[in-house]
């Protein structure tokens, strides 16, 4: 599995059988890439991606899951021809590279499709460009509800029935919170069924695998009293998913510790979370794309004139105030970027005992 970016350790990007790659294995692949470069110049991401390809090619694998990031069409990971492509919901992000609207972005996302190769879409109604490009490439397209589905099963709470091509199997629900994880699980099961028909029905341990699947930084609870949730989301679509989870789970008192890059739509995030977040503690983010806590707070205040908004120079300062001023029953949501979650997780580890 190759995913980016990481939260705490670069080795998180590359996992084999659920374990992070070792220093020695990564260094060996880095050296092989470097020795082949000659006069070719690669970006940080391109170099790391080639190293990931090298490392995985040296393993005995049944499957490799490769995340295609920015856009899709021009992403370095798209050098590989997938045996099955999966397209998750498409939202507005990186418009400066991908285009101004969902239709433009959908064209870029569909760049991962290959002639005759199946594609799984978690959206019930994928954008028109995805449908058209799949048709042009004669790539069989499978949609949630129409071609596969995951619905609550009468077997009991937490049981879900996956169906596809006339076959059904009952599985456990995802351990991670949010209805969007049901979409993700349905797509994963569909892709597995296409790549290896009969795999799902023939593996009684599939429910154990689902129940033990947790990805850090996705509504991750790192402390119980006060409850602290970390989420790496950084755009409107992610904020909407988090807001839906908080509403469905009955959270009615939430303080948001927010730190976002300057080129992200903080205003759209604020609008998505306004019904569940009563206070906003805005922290500065560093780097060329960063912004001060004061600047972010001003943007949130403009978007939500009636909101309670505070500004802090650092995330640590915002976390300290959030934990020290939290009301009984109030939950702290840390949101805005992978960097934000990394810093918050480190702060919690240093300052308060983490949850199991």
């Amino acid at each position: 599995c190759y995913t980016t970016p990481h939260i705490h350790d670069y080795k998180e990007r590359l996992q084999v059988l659920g374990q992070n790659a070792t220093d020695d294995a990564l260094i060996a692949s880095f050296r092989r890439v470097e020795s082949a470069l000659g006069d070719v110049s690669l970006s940080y991401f391109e170099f790391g991606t080639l190293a990931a390809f090298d490392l995985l090619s040296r393993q005995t694998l049944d499957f490799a899951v490769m995340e295609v990031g920015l856009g899709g069409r021009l992403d370095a990971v798209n050098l590989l021809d997938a045996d099955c492509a999966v397209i998750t919901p498409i939202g507005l992000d990186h418009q400066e590279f991908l285009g101004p609207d969902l239709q433009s972005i959908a064209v870029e996302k569909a760049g991962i499709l290959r002639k005759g190769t199946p594609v799984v879409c978690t959206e019930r109604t994928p954008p028109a460009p995805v449908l058209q490009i799949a048709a042009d490439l004669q790539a069989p397209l499978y949609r949630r509800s129409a071609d596969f589905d995951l619905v609550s099963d009468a077997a009991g709470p937490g049981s879900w029935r996956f169906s596809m091509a006339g076959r059904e199997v009952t599985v456990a629900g995802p351990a991670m919170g949010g209805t969007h994880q049901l979409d993700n699980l349905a797509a994963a099961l569909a892709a597995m069924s296409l790549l290896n028909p009969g795999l799902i029905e023939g593996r009684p341990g599939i429910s154990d695998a689902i129940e033990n699947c947790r990805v850090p930084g996705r509504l991750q609870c790192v402390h119980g009293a006060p409850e602290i949730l970390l989420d790496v989301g950084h755009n409107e679509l992610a904020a909407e998913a988090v807001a839906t989870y908080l509403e469905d789970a009955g959270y009615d008192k939430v303080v948001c510790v927010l730190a976002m890059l300057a080129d992200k739509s903080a205003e759209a995030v604020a609008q998505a979370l306004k019904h569940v977040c009563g206070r906003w503690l805005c922290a500065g983010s560093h780097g060329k794309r960063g912004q001060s806590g004061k600047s972010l707070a001003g943007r949130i205040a403009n978007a939500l004139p009636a909101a309670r908004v505070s500004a802090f120079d650092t995330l640590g300062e915002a976390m300290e105030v959030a934990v020290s001023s939290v009301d009984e029953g109030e939950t702290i949501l840390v949101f805005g970027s992978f960097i934000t979650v990394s810093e918050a997780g480190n702060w919690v580890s240093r300052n308060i005992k983490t949850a199991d």
Side-chain angles (χ1 to χ4, degrees):
C1 183
Y2 176 56
T3 61
T4 57
H6 61 276
I7 296 178
H8 298 294
D9 188 322
Y10 186 92
K11 295 190 293 293
E12 297 168 16
R13 295 180 177 222
L14 195 59
Q15 295 190 343
V16 178
L17 299 178
Q19 300 298 313
N20 291 351
T22 65
D23 289 336
D24 289 344
L26 272 173
I27 290 170
S29 291
F30 289 153
R31 285 175 171 163
R32 280 191 285 270
V33 173
E34 187 173 30
S35 67
L37 277 179
D39 295 330
V40 176
S41 176
L42 296 178
S43 69
Y44 169 87
F45 179 72
E46 290 167 342
F47 193 104
T49 296
L50 288 181
F53 291 170
D54 176 82
L55 193 153
L56 290 175
S57 72
R58 296 172 184 277
Q59 310 297 314
T60 302
L61 304 174
D62 297 308
F63 298 99
V65 180
M66 314 296 288
E67 179 193 14
V68 190
L70 178 65
R73 183 174 65 92
L74 298 178
D75 190 277
V77 180
N78 199 34
L79 285 168
L80 294 182
D81 294 327
D83 297 300
C84 178
V86 178
I87 296 181
T88 55
I90 296 172
L92 292 175
D93 204 357
H94 303 293
Q95 291 100 309
E96 66 274 26
F97 302 111
L98 307 181
D101 51 40
L102 291 178
Q103 299 301 303
S104 302
I105 296 173
V107 171
E108 297 297 319
K109 296 290 185 183
I112 69 171
L113 304 189
R114 298 293 190 271
K115 186 175 180 62
T117 300
V119 54
V120 172
C121 292
T122 58
E123 291 187 279
R124 291 160 172 81
T125 307
V130 173
L131 300 176
Q132 185 60 56
I133 292 171
D136 293 343
L137 292 172
Q138 298 179 318
L141 187 140
Y142 299 85
R143 292 173 290 182
R144 175 82 188 273
S145 294
D147 304 296
F148 65 93
D149 211 355
L150 185 70
V151 298
S152 182
D153 189 83
S159 293
W160 296 84
R161 188 173 70 255
F162 172 76
S163 58
M164 186 175 189
R167 305 192 310 272
E168 292 188 350
V169 61
T170 298
V171 298
M176 294 181 285
T179 56
H180 58 292
Q181 296 297 355
L182 293 170
D183 292 332
N184 292 337
L185 174 57
L189 292 172
M192 289 174 66
S193 295
L194 289 167
L195 290 169
N196 192 340
L199 175 69
I200 305 299
E201 298 94 323
R203 288 288 183 92
I206 191 69
S207 286
D208 290 338
I210 294 169
E211 289 178 322
N212 288 308
C213 179
R214 290 178 174 82
V215 182
R218 277 71 173 182
L219 287 168
Q220 180 186 5
C221 181
V222 293
H223 193 261
E227 186 171 13
I228 301 176
L229 300 176
L230 308 182
D231 196 275
V232 297
H234 51 265
N235 57 31
E236 181 181 8
L237 191 62
E240 289 172 351
V242 169
T244 298
Y245 166 75
L246 294 173
E247 289 176 320
D248 291 346
Y251 289 87
D252 57 0
K253 297 173 65 177
V254 179
V255 53
C256 182
V257 175
L258 185 70
M260 298 181 66
L261 299 176
D263 54 13
K264 300 298 181 181
S265 181
E267 295 82 0
V269 165
Q271 291 293 336
L273 288 169
K274 67 180 181 181
H275 298 300
V276 291
C277 293
R279 288 192 293 145
W280 298 81
L281 278 59
C282 299
S285 49
H286 47 77
K288 292 182 179 179
R289 297 168 60 198
Q291 63 183 320
S292 68
K294 183 178 179 181
S295 173
L296 178 59
R299 296 173 65 181
I300 300 301
N302 286 335
L304 306 176
R308 299 164 59 190
V309 183
S310 304
F312 301 87
D313 289 335
T314 68
L315 189 76
E317 292 171 352
M319 290 295 298
E320 185 173 350
V321 170
V323 170
S324 62
S325 66
V326 66
D327 295 331
E328 183 177 354
E330 194 171 34
T331 296
I332 298 171
L333 169 68
V334 183
F335 188 83
S337 75
F338 276 80
I339 296 172
T340 301
V341 165
S342 177
E343 292 184 1
N346 290 335
W347 186 91
V348 169
S349 298
R350 290 192 306 267
N351 293 277
I352 54 180
K353 183 180 179 181
T354 57
D356 293 334

